[in-house]
Amino acid sequence: MDLRPKGSASVFVLLVLFKFSEAQNLCSVPNNLPLILISENNKIGDVVTTLNAEDGVMASITSQDPEGFFSIDEYRLIAETVLDYETFNPSKPHEVNIECTKDGSPSTTLSLKIAVEDKNDNPPVFEQSQYTLKVDELSKLDTRVGLFTAIDPDKDDRLYYQLDSPEGEFDLEASFNPNILVKKRLDYDKVKEVTMMLYVQDTPIGSTAEVSHTASTTIVVKIIDIDNRPPWFQPCTETEINTSKICLMSGYNGNVILNQQAPGPLSLEPGPLMAIDGDKGRNDPIGYMFLGGNDEDIFQIDTDTGSITMREPITEAGTIVRTVMAFQKENADQFATTTVILKVVESSIFPPKFVKSSYEGFISEDAGVDSLVLESKTSNRALRVQATDEDFSNGYNPNLRFEIVDGTDFSITPEGFILMAKAVSPGTLNLEMRVVDTTNEESSTASLSVEVTPGGQLVKTGEFSSGDMAAVGASLAVVIVLCLVCIGLMVHRIKGHNADWKKLSEASVFRSTLGGGSGGPKEGVQYSNEGLQHDDDSGSVNSKLAADLENKLESGLKPQQRRGSAPKTMTPSAVLLTTSSPQADSSSLAETIDSEKEVKPILTKERRNEEGYKAVWFKQDIDPNTKEEVVIIPDTGEADGDREEDDDSEGENRPDVDSDVEEGVSSDL
């Protein structure tokens, strides 16, 4: 190994032989150097060396190899050409033969050997300006993938390298050893090519010495996709798990018509059935086959395309499931499976159709996600799309699905309302809608134009315009007036109803006064008529009772008529009884009907002509001294039918009462 400092010249010693006689020495080389050195890249005319000679000595070049490189001027050896170390052969120095002569003396011959000294005058050079390198993805770290060196014509120069990799994917083994190593995990799906720069210089990297010469080259690394993934059914969702990548796919669905054979490949969703090589850079050919099938299967699959066709019609409704395997034809160990679900449905004559061929809607840009598209700019009524199906008698098909074709800005609910799915800039969007019969996948389309207006220009959903508020206010006012009228009528009827009941209760109280008290019933005729207290009350029930009693007595009503013979329809009346029954009977009757407050009896036995009194006249006079008692039992008149039923029941349960009333008079007023 050459341990000389960098930049030192390689010196090749040329032995200069001085052949002269022992008798005389006319000239010589300074210091008797066996080899004379001259630096490369010299100038023409530079002095190579100066001979030592006596006065009067003449020096001349007798020969040289190669010719013409040197000349002599008196005693100075002159360079006649520019010398280059890179073209110089160190094993064969330049040779110059000089003869020195003097009159009267034998001549002296000198043989000079001249060597060219090397200088750092050349930059390093790469053989190519650009290199291409292929590296497999997923190569192990620190794997050697390439070696690129430069050449320096300056023999003793040592070269140093530096690699510039954009993301640090690669690096050099050492600055003086340009082996390229893998430093990061390489994934073809993420990085398919890396372009790097390799630099070289003849001074150490990072040293303070001035860099004299440099060079560079480009290295393009192509990442090779290796066969490490199975086929992927399409479409699928790519997912990374640690350092591995998979593609998820849920399978295919389709429909076949009952008792009909499809003429071509079955239509599948999402379709068509297809798989690609998971190693996209390789794209190896894929084959298809059914798993678990047999030659008698109704379906068959094309091994090259994956298309599924029918061999014969299906005669039974239901669901059919088939498993399909996709595999690499050149490497069957790489395979994947999926399911195909086929529904057997009845045929349909008409596909579903939108009610209108085109729809127009409006929405504000600040309405927010999931806001409804409106029918107009000034209304808060949501736009709704509808579809009919002529296969149904009423046109309503419950198995319809609405969707936006090739668009994600809006969506349609199952009820046909259109929602904003994400923020949209102001402008007009022209979309296409599709309605699908989910039982057989028949469909039709309609156009949808949605104008997205700047914020604040639309009535927001849930708010009302001024016109709407006025209409609502007027409606509420009408409802309030109607409610007040109804309340007034109800109050009026309740008050009238209470007045009638008050008058009826006056008569019923009379019964309690007749039989009430510790002394038992009073002698004579007792008649209570509250109407006498209000002469101006022509509608008094008690007044009508007295008048009706008088009229019916005059018409010849027999005194011993039975209660059971009374007519079914009864008017408000009082029952007049004449009896000589024991006192206990009267008291018992009074106790059964005593439920009202006590009133003052004003009807007396005497016939009086004073004002303020009213009398009841009977067909036959009753002697007060007989101590016979006449009792007036008023009827409430509210429920004649109920009274009649009660009287009938009492008649059946109390025969002794009717038998005792033999001398009394009964009258319905």
Side-chain angles (χ1 to χ4, degrees), residues 234-235 249-255 266-273 339-342 401 403 434 436 441:
Q234 300 298 302
M249 200 273 178
S250 59
Y252 299 89
N253 295 274
N255 294 329
L266 298 181
S267 176
L268 302 176
E269 288 292 338
L273 188 149
T339 57
V340 178
I341 301 176
L342 301 172
R401 180 182 74 246
E403 59 189 16
R434 178 166 56 207
V436 182
E441 297 302 320

Side-chain angles (χ1 to χ4, degrees), residues 103-148:
D103 293 341
S105 298
S107 62
T108 300
T109 302
L110 299 176
S111 181
L112 285 68
K113 293 190 180 296
I114 302 172
V116 179
E117 185 180 16
D118 187 21
K119 294 180 63 176
N120 187 15
D121 62 336
N122 294 291
V125 177
F126 286 101
E127 292 182 358
Q128 299 177 209
S129 61
Q130 177 174 313
Y131 295 90
T132 299
L133 182 63
K134 294 182 178 181
V135 179
D136 289 343
E137 66 170 338
L138 306 180
S139 295
K140 292 182 179 181
L141 299 184
D142 292 331
T143 299
R144 294 180 180 180
V145 294
L147 175 64
F148 303 96

Side-chain angles (χ1 to χ4, degrees), residues 551-604:
N551 292 335
K552 291 188 177 183
L553 289 175
E554 290 177 356
S555 65
L557 182 64
K558 293 181 179 181
Q560 294 184 350
Q561 183 175 1
R562 292 180 59 87
R563 295 181 62 176
S565 63
K568 292 294 182 181
T569 302
M570 300 178 65
T571 59
S573 61
V575 178
L576 179 63
L577 298 179
T578 302
T579 179
S580 59
S581 60
Q583 180 177 346
D585 294 338
S586 298
S587 299
S588 176
L589 178 61
E591 288 176 359
T592 60
I593 61 174
D594 188 7
S595 59
E596 304 292 338
K597 65 181 179 177
E598 183 179 359
V599 297
K600 180 180 179 181
I602 61 173
L603 186 63
T604 64

